[in-house]
Amino acid sequence: MKKILYIFFLTLLTCVSLPVRAAEKEGGVNVSELIFEHLGDSYEWHIAKGCVIPLPCILIEKGGVTTFMSNQIEHGQECKGYHIAAEGQYAGKIVNAQGERPFDISITKNVLELFIVCAILLSVFLGLAHWYKKHGYKKAPGGFVGAMEVVVGFVENDVIKSSIGHGYQKFLNYLLTVFFFILTCNLLGLIPIFPGGANLTGNIAVPLTLAVSAFIAINFFAPKGYYKSIFWPDVPLFLKAFPLMPTIEFVGVFTKPFSLTIRLFANILAGHVVILSLSSLVFITAQAGAGINSSMTVVGVAFSIFMNCLELLVAFIQAYVFTMLTATFIGIAHSE
Amino acid sequence: MNLLTPDPGLLFWMVLSFLIVFFLLAKFGFPVIVNAINKRKEFIEASLVSAKEANERLASIQEEGEKLLAEAKAQQKEIISAAMQEKQRILQAAQDEARTSAQQIVDDATARITAEKEKALREVRSEVATLAIDIAEKVLSEKMSNSAEQKKAIERMIEKL
């Protein structure tokens, strides 16, 4: 414990000396631009100054497919008639010479992160399945397999089974996939360097896809009673003849997955913003003099450490909540 | 930078990769894992039940053994006490017999002794009588030679009668 505290304070101390140099180098930093750059997507993976991983750009327009590496369009360069728009509606995106946007399925930073998440999920769970096939169920697993088994068992029994109830097996694989997908995305997003760092669950496209899948899982597998309860619910006639209740129920069908999207998206995005802002305290206070800068650096680093710990918790909680709510909605749809 | 507009490229890749991951995991990943976990759970539960049963059986066997032992002890006690009684009885009978036979012997001996005594007495008596007669004869034959004496004797005898 003593050792940990010692290391902690030593780290803080080095932080004190850092901002002085940062202040010397640049006149100031546009913090909001910096934060938005981290939150958003980009065509290359920026690790450190001078260390950039170029990623392939894939553009489809009028049936033709154009591919090139992202380092060919760096700094406003043009490649095969495409360049990154500097301003306007598509600022930061690849547009063609006329300023129109092609169908852009480039392997961006987020897409690569998505592939890394998929690779991790597949290797972990197919590896686990392989372990069980090899050893059978009578051998008690240890180490990583045992730890994963605890998590899988927890999600299966305490989240899915208890929320859906009877007939939960049909949705088990889907909900387990969703849980571990979100969890892996969230945790990888907290790692600031290469294999992680992309803001995947904080990008609206990912929670949106997950919510659409939840919408399908909730509505397309429900028994007939579920639809009756929406369009002709068991309430006094004047409430449904003038279709008040059906309208509310019908809107509810869409607000449920929508709330799932926004909850996950906003939580993760907010976490990233707070951590980045706290880290940026160093640069914001750079001009305010060494004394204020040093003290704010200590505060900023201490708080961002705290926020990172909190985000670890949030990473799990959001995966848990998304899975549990989807399971609950499925359970409600099936109980009618 | 609009955070709330989904990027079609990422959306496309997301849908594609999520579907692939879901398909692969739902087909080859989770069913195996969940099955194994549930089977192990059942296995452990069954093992616990059978262990409990075995324990109960062991306990009942122990109890039975104790009961048998107690029974055996009681029987042993009974047998021993019966044997003791038998011994007592046999001893008593032997003693009784011995006593009766001894009594018999003593009685026989007494009777024989009495008979012998009687016989002896009778013999002695008859002997004494014979002797007395003989002596009387001799005395008479010696004393009767004197008539005066005879007379005196006769008188004495008459007087005595």
Side-chain angles (χ1 to χ4, degrees):
Chain A
M1 194 60 211
K2 244 183 185 173
K3 229 177 198 172
I4 294 169
L5 276 177
Y6 184 70
I7 292 168
F8 178 71
F9 282 114
L10 209 69
T11 320
L12 286 189
L13 218 68
T14 47
C15 295
V16 174
S17 63
L18 264 175
V20 184
R21 256 182 268 156
E24 278 167 3
K25 254 185 178 174
E26 291 171 37
V29 189
N30 188 344
V31 175
S32 71
E33 194 179 280
L34 183 139
I35 291 175
F36 273 107
E37 192 193 307
H38 276 275
L39 292 179
D41 210 349
S42 62
Y43 287 103
E44 77 279 308
W45 199 314
H46 191 98
I47 294 171
K49 206 172 174 72
C51 181
V52 175
I53 301 173
L55 300 170
C57 298
I58 305 164
L59 307 164
I60 302 173
E61 201 171 30
K62 289 172 196 131
V65 181
T66 318
T67 56
F68 49 84
M69 293 306 282
S70 69
N71 56 355
Q72 289 175 283
I73 51 165
E74 268 179 336
H75 313 302
Q77 283 170 343
E78 195 164 307
C79 178
K80 297 180 184 175
Y82 294 101
H83 65 276
I84 296 177
E87 53 198 6
Q89 196 186 351
Y90 302 123
K93 304 276 184 194
I94 293 180
V95 290
N96 61 14
Q98 288 83 42
E100 286 163 346
R101 189 116 165 78
F103 185 56
D104 183 359
I105 52 166
S106 305
I107 309 298
T108 59
K109 185 181 169 187
N110 276 344
V111 176
L112 183 61
E113 176 89 319
L114 181 67
F115 290 168
I116 293 172
V117 167
C118 294
I120 290 174
L121 281 176
L122 288 178
S123 56
V124 165
F125 289 105
L126 294 183
L128 234 67
H130 178 73
W131 191 94
Y132 284 110
K133 264 183 195 155
K134 200 172 151 196
H135 291 94
Y137 64 91
K138 284 190 181 174
K139 190 176 187 300
F144 182 69
V145 181
M148 288 314 290
E149 189 186 303
V150 172
V151 182
V152 172
F154 162 73
V155 176
E156 188 203 345
N157 289 311
D158 296 349
V159 181
I160 300 171
K161 203 173 176 180
S162 61
S163 299
I164 299 182
H166 184 70
Y168 74 97
Q169 285 92 345
K170 208 159 89 181
F171 301 97
L172 187 60
N173 294 327
Y174 163 67
L175 289 168
L176 279 171
T177 311
V178 165
F179 178 84
F180 286 104
F181 190 90
I182 297 173
L183 185 66
T184 317
C185 284
N186 289 351
L187 289 177
L188 268 188
L190 288 178
I191 302 171
I193 50 163
F194 166 60
N199 180 27
L200 206 49
T201 30
N203 188 307
I204 192 79
V206 173
L208 190 68
T209 313
L210 292 170
V212 169
S213 71
F215 178 81
I216 294 169
I218 294 165
N219 293 296
F220 290 13
F221 296 92
K224 272 178 193 160
Y226 172 66
Y227 298 105
K228 186 184 166 289
S229 79
I230 291 172
F231 296 113
W232 200 249
D234 198 11
V235 290
L237 189 66
F238 70 90
L239 279 176
K240 49 188 176 182
F242 168 74
L244 181 66
M245 284 304 285
T247 312
I248 292 171
E249 289 281 354
F250 189 67
V251 170
V253 168
F254 296 98
T255 52
K256 279 174 191 167
F258 184 70
S259 72
L260 287 177
T261 315
I262 297 300
R263 184 179 299 106
L264 179 59
F265 165 69
N267 268 290
I268 302 305
L269 187 73
H272 279 253
V273 169
V274 170
I275 290 174
L276 287 169
S277 309
L278 285 169
S279 308
S280 302
L281 265 183
V282 180
F283 307 108
I284 295 169
T285 55
Q287 282 110 334
I292 294 174
N293 191 203
S294 299
S295 53
M296 284 316 284
T297 304
V298 174
V299 171
V301 171
F303 266 97
S304 65
I305 289 170
F306 168 73
M307 276 311 295
N308 263 307
C309 296
L310 194 70
E311 282 305 304
L312 271 180
L313 195 66
V314 170
F316 177 80
I317 289 173
Q318 286 308 316
Y320 173 81
V321 165
F322 194 101
T323 316
M324 194 190 66
L325 285 178
T326 311
T328 310
F329 294 148
I330 292 171
I332 290 170
H334 279 250
S335 71
E336 304 288 350
Chain B
M1 179 87 50
N2 200 341
L3 286 172
L4 282 170
T5 332
D7 181 52
L10 183 58
L11 209 59
F12 166 77
W13 285 116
M14 175 62 197
V15 171
L16 191 70
S17 40
F18 184 74
L19 281 180
I20 292 170
V21 166
F22 170 53
F23 175 76
L24 286 177
L25 289 187
K27 188 105 180 151
F28 306 110
F30 288 124
V32 180
I33 298 167
V34 169
N35 247 350
I37 292 176
N38 287 338
K39 263 188 187 166
R40 168 134 29 82
K41 210 158 82 187
E42 276 166 27
F43 174 65
I44 290 171
E45 265 163 25
S47 303
L48 280 177
V49 167
S50 66
K52 201 178 163 195
E53 265 173 21
N55 247 348
E56 270 169 14
R57 207 176 306 151
L58 194 73
S60 78
I61 284 171
Q62 231 161 13
E63 207 174 303
E64 215 167 286
E66 265 163 32
K67 219 166 80 183
L68 268 178
L69 203 70
E71 246 170 54
K73 262 185 191 166
Q75 216 163 8
Q76 183 200 31
K77 220 173 170 182
E78 213 169 279
I79 289 170
I80 285 176
S81 78
M84 286 292 267
Q85 264 175 353
E86 184 70 16
K87 182 185 103 175
Q88 209 69 34
R89 201 182 58 75
I90 289 170
L91 216 67
Q92 193 69 43
Q95 269 174 354
D96 284 356
E97 208 174 324
R99 204 174 290 129
T100 31
S101 69
Q103 194 65 44
Q104 190 80 41
I105 290 165
V106 170
D107 283 358
D108 277 4
T110 319
R112 204 175 296 157
I113 287 167
T114 321
E116 290 291 317
K117 208 169 94 188
E118 296 275 310
K119 202 173 143 197
L121 271 176
R122 252 195 325 270
E123 271 171 16
V124 168
R125 230 180 253 140
S126 69
E127 200 79 6
V128 168
T130 326
L131 272 174
I133 290 169
D134 281 357
I135 291 166
E137 258 178 22
K138 272 177 190 166
V139 170
L140 280 177
S141 57
E142 286 214 0
K143 299 276 178 129
M144 288 308 162
S145 42
N146 191 327
S147 54
E149 283 285 319
Q150 276 176 353
K151 229 179 168 173
K152 263 196 222 164
I154 291 166
E155 277 173 5
R156 233 179 9 241
M157 272 182 218
I158 292 167
E159 254 172 59
K160 267 183 191 171
L161 285 172

